[in-house]
Amino acid sequence: MAFGRLERTDAARPMSDINMTPLIDVMLVLLVIFMITAPLMTASLRMDLPKSEAATPSDAPSFIAVAITPDGKLHLGEDELDANAFQQRISELGRANTQMEVQLRADRAVPYGQVAELIGWVQAAGLNRIAFVAQAAASAP
């Protein structure tokens, strides 16, 4: 008959240390995500929708009024200009005062690509303060 030993050896003890590798992996993934998204957050456009309850005119002392109509005609102040003349005039105004605000009015029917191209011309002229003008929404009684 075979009997078991009476003396017992200590069994392997459970590991009581925390495995740091998964925690470090998660931390590095989050670091990469934040490094990629942080520059995108600073380059976002702040704009008002075409109708807004809070649409109020800006109190900027010096501004340029820029408009684009549904048929793609560009207006600088009261003057209607073609694309080349517009770029030339906006460049002259940008060189004169880079802190001037541009108040952009775009009809709802204007394609987004044309508005983005117009914004690109304004920024290329050195004017980075762009305000999107919205029509105040009619309040219900």
Side-chain angles (χ1 to χ4, degrees):
M1 267 189 170
F3 290 103
R5 295 176 138 179
L6 293 177
E7 58 188 67
R8 295 189 179 238
T9 58
D10 290 337
R13 290 187 172 190
M15 186 171 73
S16 62
D17 296 334
I18 296 175
N19 188 0
M20 295 297 288
T21 305
L23 296 175
I24 293 171
D25 289 344
V26 168
M27 181 204 54
L28 290 175
V29 167
L30 289 174
L31 179 67
V32 168
I33 290 171
F34 287 129
M35 286 173 56
I36 292 172
T37 59
L40 298 176
M41 293 171 61
T42 60
S44 64
L45 287 176
R46 293 185 184 128
M47 61 184 254
D48 294 326
L49 295 175
K51 291 197 178 209
S52 171
E53 296 280 335
T56 58
S58 174
D59 294 323
S62 62
F63 66 91
I64 305 167
V66 173
I68 184 167
T69 59
D71 53 357
K73 293 182 182 175
L74 300 170
H75 296 269
L76 184 61
E78 298 295 322
D79 303 326
E80 181 178 326
L81 304 170
D82 61 45
N84 293 331
F86 178 84
Q87 290 177 18
Q88 184 178 11
R89 290 269 309 272
I90 202 78
S91 294
E92 293 169 3
L93 292 170
R95 281 192 298 270
N97 184 2
T98 58
Q99 296 302 316
M100 192 175 304
E101 179 178 273
V102 176
Q103 293 185 352
L104 176 63
R105 290 175 174 82
D107 192 277
R108 283 186 188 203
V110 176
Y112 177 74
Q114 289 181 348
V115 175
E117 186 178 38
L118 177 64
I119 292 170
W121 293 339
V122 170
Q123 288 178 337
L127 299 168
N128 294 318
R129 296 183 63 203
I130 302 173
F132 292 86
V133 179
Q135 180 181 5
S139 58

